[in-house]
Amino acid sequence: MLDINKFDKIIVANWKLNGSKDFIDAFFNDLNPEVINSNSCGIICPPSIYLDKCFSKNKNFFLGAQNCSQFNSGAYTGEINAIMLRECNCNFCIVGHSERRMNFNDSNNDVKVKSENLIDNSINPIICIGETLEQKKNGITKEVIFEQISSSLPETGSANSVIIAYEPIWAIGSGLTPNLEEINSIHSFIKKEIPKSRNYKILYGGSVKSKNSKNIMDLENVDGLLVGGASLDPQEFIEILKV
Ligand code: PGA
């Protein structure tokens, strides 16, 4: 398993349910491997069926999956387990993305079990947390995050193996982001005030674009970015990787 503490910055592309073989050919042809230096960690998370294709085209990037099963084998039609992801050269896996929590009922406990399976197979989990707009308006963002972290971080994880991604749900795909002070203060809360996630690497995600990535990345408590829509445009993604 990779020791994530060796990286100064971690930039993740979450392609969600997008991409094709032609898209992958064009994407990697446009990417310049030099945008990744030895202290940075660039991770591409395609739909799992394309992991092998991305691996064959890869230039200096790590591969990640967008989800894995909480089960390790058996009669679970349609599932993909952590062992299979490892065989497909995955070093990372996103777990508990809000789209999975909302559309596929992934619970905090599911996220924890999936993360434990990943760690058992030397894959670093990227655990997503974040509040809804209503929770933000009600002033309970910190309580929500505290609960998500307490219940979904695996007991077997550590600051060397698990990454947290703070993604306010209302910021995902909306073009809206919290202001810089808000991002820094939530990241500081996670790193310094929640015992279970003390000193963990924290990525920010939600409407990251080339035009806001540098300001967010420059914040003291931000260790990287989780990029959705903007990661599908190679030129845009290259600019984000340069921060
Ligand atoms: P977005 O998505 O960058 O398109 O807002 C981020 C994410 O869902 O991880």
Side-chain angles (χ1 to χ4, degrees):
M1 166 135 36
L2 289 170
D3 176 359
I4 51 182
N5 274 326
K6 71 180 183 191
F7 300 116
D8 292 340
K9 70 171 183 193
I10 302 167
I11 311 282
V12 186
N14 174 15
W15 286 0
K16 309 191 183 190
L17 188 52
N18 296 292
S20 65
K21 289 187 176 178
D22 286 347
F23 170 85
I24 291 165
D25 284 333
F27 184 91
F28 283 100
N29 286 344
D30 283 351
L31 274 197
N32 174 354
E34 275 141 40
V35 287
I36 297 286
N37 65 41
S38 58
N39 296 332
S40 21
C41 173
I43 307 169
I44 309 277
C45 302
S48 295
I49 192 125
Y50 294 134
L51 284 166
D52 274 345
K53 170 86 179 164
C54 287
F55 186 68
S56 73
K57 306 288 291 182
N58 199 9
K59 304 170 180 171
N60 282 351
F61 286 90
F62 291 105
L63 287 180
Q66 300 173 14
N67 180 41
C68 86
S69 181
Q70 61 268 51
F71 305 110
N72 279 328
S73 66
Y76 300 105
T77 302
E79 290 289 271
I80 296 175
N81 67 26
I83 306 152
M84 296 166 184
L85 294 177
R86 187 65 242 185
E87 276 198 327
C88 291
N89 302 295
C90 259
N91 279 104
F92 294 90
C93 181
I94 299 170
V95 264
H97 190 283
S98 60
E99 289 154 12
R100 294 231 35 111
R101 291 179 187 263
M102 286 186 308
N103 301 327
F104 302 95
N105 296 322
D106 283 12
S107 66
N108 282 329
N109 194 55
D110 293 336
V111 174
K112 188 183 205 174
V113 172
K114 289 175 183 198
S115 300
E116 281 163 0
N117 291 348
L118 289 165
I119 291 169
D120 287 348
N121 288 283
S122 302
I123 297 176
N124 300 85
I126 303 170
I127 299 180
C128 300
I129 50 152
E131 81 285 5
T132 64
L133 189 55
E134 199 189 348
Q135 289 164 336
K136 179 182 167 62
K137 282 184 180 154
N138 289 337
I140 56 167
T141 298
K142 286 187 175 171
E143 284 88 332
V144 169
I145 285 171
F146 186 92
E147 170 55 23
Q148 286 176 329
I149 288 188
S150 307
S151 315
S152 56
L153 254 60
E155 307 304 335
T156 49
S158 67
N160 298 336
S161 58
V162 176
I163 300 170
I164 294 174
Y166 170 54
E167 296 206 300
I169 296 171
W170 52 274
I172 295 176
S174 64
L176 304 170
T177 60
N179 65 42
L180 295 173
E181 235 166 75
E182 286 172 321
I183 296 174
N184 204 40
S185 127
I186 295 294
H187 282 227
S188 160
F189 172 69
I190 298 169
K191 273 178 188 270
K192 296 175 188 155
E193 289 178 52
I194 306 182
K196 210 168 173 188
S197 52
R198 195 172 299 283
N199 295 329
Y200 274 52
K201 296 259 187 212
I202 322 279
L203 316 182
Y204 169 78
S207 293
V208 173
K209 315 275 176 222
S210 59
K211 65 175 193 302
N212 60 15
S213 53
K214 177 153 177 35
N215 286 342
I216 298 174
M217 208 39 226
D218 282 349
L219 294 168
E220 185 194 343
N221 294 302
V222 172
D223 302 298
L225 303 167
L226 175 48
V227 189
S231 72
L232 293 165
D233 175 342
Q235 296 316 324
E236 180 73 1
F237 191 52
I238 287 169
E239 288 309 309
I240 295 171
L241 286 164
K242 285 182 192 161
V243 296

